[in-house]
């Protein structure tokens, strides 16, 4: 079998054999669709719209009114109508350290960490600056 080009075949393999990249932890299906991320020291920051729909499950229930309503709501969230979420995650073990509500979605790949601060460009054209306690 040629697993390299067929992701569906690889799904049957143990997780550590599904990739050539070694990893220490996995957060499976976080409730955030990551549009921006940055590693700052020992904390990984991720940001994006909330993720409220499992699209793989929804595909098989497209005649269900509740599923259609959730898909419509997810579409609104992807358009930024509900702002977004930012998580601070431990780079050591993947545990969520904090969660923040954002007024606007981040621009694609629009986060950077420098000088003890986190900067984010947003879809509404702003640049936001965040710093840790006491800074």
């Amino acid at each position: 079998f040629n697993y390299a080009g067929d992701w569906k075949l690889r799904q049957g393999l143990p997780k550590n054999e599904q990739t050539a990249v070694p990893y220490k932890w996995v957060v499976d299906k976080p409730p955030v669709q990551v549009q921006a991320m940055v590693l700052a020291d020992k904390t990984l920051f991720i940001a994006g719209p909330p993720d409220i729909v499992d699209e793989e499950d929804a595909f098989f229930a497209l005649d269900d009114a509740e599923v259609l309503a959730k898909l419509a709501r997810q579409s609104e969230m992807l358009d930024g109508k509900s702002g977004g979420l930012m998580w601070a995650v431990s780079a050591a073990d993947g545990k969520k350290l904090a969660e923040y509500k954002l007024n606007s979605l981040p621009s694609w790949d629009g986060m950077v960490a420098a000088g003890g601060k986190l900067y984010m460009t947003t879809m509404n054209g702003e640049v936001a600056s965040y710093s840790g306690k006491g800074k």
Side-chain angles (χ1 to χ4, degrees):
F1 291 99
N2 180 5
Y3 293 113
D6 193 337
W7 64 270
K8 194 67 173 169
L9 286 174
R10 287 189 298 200
Q11 285 182 327
L13 295 173
K15 281 195 183 277
N16 64 344
E17 292 181 24
Q18 291 182 19
T19 179
V21 179
Y23 57 88
K24 296 180 182 178
W25 50 265
V26 173
V27 176
D28 196 24
K29 298 183 181 182
V32 178
Q33 290 191 16
V34 179
Q35 292 183 335
M37 77 170 104
V38 66
L39 180 63
D41 194 22
K42 297 176 183 173
T43 304
L44 176 68
F45 291 91
I46 61 172
D51 189 9
I52 62 168
V53 176
D54 183 329
E55 288 81 2
E56 289 181 19
D57 291 341
F59 180 79
F60 296 103
L62 292 176
D63 57 350
D64 183 317
E66 186 177 330
V67 169
L68 291 174
K70 275 185 149 180
L71 286 169
R73 181 75 178 120
Q74 183 73 70
S75 182
E76 290 175 358
M77 290 177 171
L78 290 169
D79 288 338
K81 294 182 179 164
S82 299
L85 295 173
M86 179 168 57
W87 275 20
V89 178
S90 167
D93 60 14
K95 300 225 184 303
K96 181 173 74 168
L97 303 172
E99 180 176 321
Y100 306 95
K101 176 81 171 110
L102 303 172
N103 292 329
S104 178
L105 292 179
S107 301
W108 181 257
D109 204 18
M111 284 200 302
V112 64
K117 293 186 179 182
L118 177 70
Y119 300 93
M120 179 188 314
T121 59
T122 65
M123 295 297 290
N124 66 0
E126 295 178 348
V127 177
S129 172
Y130 305 91
S131 63
K133 293 179 183 177
K135 293 190 180 187

